[in-house]
Amino acid sequence: MGMILDLQQQRRHLLAKRGFETWSRRFSDSFDEQTCVGDLSDTALRTLIQSEEASSLLLYGLILGFTGRGKGAKFFDLESRARLEVMDTSLFLLDQLRFEVMRRLGWVDPSPFCLVPLLDLVERFSTVYSEMKNQTPALLKSHPRYPEYQEVFEGDRAVFVRRLIPDAIQAFQEEQEGA
């Protein structure tokens, strides 16, 4: 039994190493199979939350590495169904990264996924997390727009929080530039 657990742990370690290969070079940070969204440096978050091709490629590379499909450049070689799966997973991860930024700014409660290793979020996305991909953390009472948030129909509060994402990105960038 010990051998099976060691093989599974070794497999996870190798997948994490492959998935984080580009990130390790890009951010000079240390990543492993236990790295969660909440563990990422502000520098890494600042880059990853952008709506740019370079940021998307970093997420695609992570997902492809975690799933054993190769590196980021291989994304464009995937068949359309596999490409859609990677894109769907990357959008989920992007949400989690942006919610983490909002948490660090003191705007929202922690996402339920902030303590789940990124490797698990990717590996189990289609079986576990895809059903929860639209969960949005609640706005904190300390946020200036909380009274407005309270007046919004409960079913529309997720949309309200998501509409704050551009402001959060800007505020986070400004905070990082000032640091």
Side-chain angles (χ1 to χ4, degrees), residues 35 99 122 124 132 134 136 159 163 165 168:
T35 300
F99 295 151
V122 171
R124 298 172 55 204
M132 300 181 278
N134 294 321
T136 304
V159 173
R163 285 186 178 149
I165 288 174

Side-chain angles (χ1 to χ4, degrees), residues 104-120:
R104 290 184 190 186
L105 290 169
W107 292 15
V108 297
D109 286 329
S111 164
F113 307 112
C114 73
L115 298 177
V116 177
L118 286 162
L119 178 59
D120 291 336

Side-chain angles (χ1 to χ4, degrees), residues 2-178:
M3 181 69 128
I4 292 172
L5 293 176
D6 288 342
L7 289 175
Q8 288 177 338
Q9 183 58 34
Q10 185 63 23
R11 178 188 156 280
R12 285 179 56 79
H13 177 74
L14 290 174
L15 287 174
K17 186 176 178 180
R18 278 189 221 130
F20 284 122
E21 185 178 334
T22 304
W23 286 26
S24 295
R25 283 193 314 267
R26 175 76 160 87
F27 303 119
S28 301
D29 291 340
S30 178
F31 305 102
D32 62 27
E33 61 274 12
Q34 295 303 316
T35 300
C36 304
V37 171
D39 298 329
L40 298 178
S41 68
D42 289 344
T43 302
L45 273 176
R46 184 176 175 196
T47 299
L48 295 167
I49 60 173
Q50 301 303 314
S51 297
E52 299 173 353
E53 185 176 356
S55 303
S56 295
L57 289 175
L58 287 168
L59 290 174
Y60 297 161
L62 179 82
I63 295 162
L64 293 173
F66 282 174
T67 57
R69 291 179 170 149
K71 297 187 180 197
K74 299 273 186 186
F75 170 76
F76 298 102
D77 296 333
L78 294 173
E79 63 180 56
S80 59
R81 181 179 172 151
R83 198 175 317 140
L84 287 174
E85 288 173 13
V86 170
M87 289 173 65
D88 200 26
T89 306
S90 73
L91 290 172
F92 169 70
L93 291 179
L94 183 59
D95 274 350
Q96 301 318 306
L97 296 167
R98 289 173 172 177
F99 295 151
E100 176 61 16
V101 162
M102 295 173 89
R103 184 198 65 78
R104 290 184 190 186
L105 290 169
W107 292 15
V108 297
D109 286 329
S111 164
F113 307 112
C114 73
L115 298 177
V116 177
L118 286 162
L119 178 59
D120 291 336
L121 291 176
V122 171
E123 280 191 323
R124 298 172 55 204
F125 177 73
S126 63
T127 59
V128 177
Y129 298 114
S130 66
E131 294 176 16
M132 300 181 278
K133 68 182 175 186
N134 294 321
Q135 285 187 358
T136 304
L139 195 67
L140 293 175
K141 291 179 182 178
S142 58
H143 191 278
R145 293 188 63 192
Y146 185 77
E148 187 181 342
Y149 172 77
Q150 280 294 104
E151 292 177 13
V152 171
F153 176 70
E154 193 170 333
D156 294 333
R157 288 183 179 169
V159 173
F160 186 94
V161 170
R162 287 177 181 279
R163 285 186 178 149
L164 295 175
I165 288 174
D167 294 336
I169 291 171
Q170 182 177 352
F172 190 71
Q173 287 175 333
E174 289 171 2
E175 183 178 280
Q176 295 306 302
E177 289 169 4

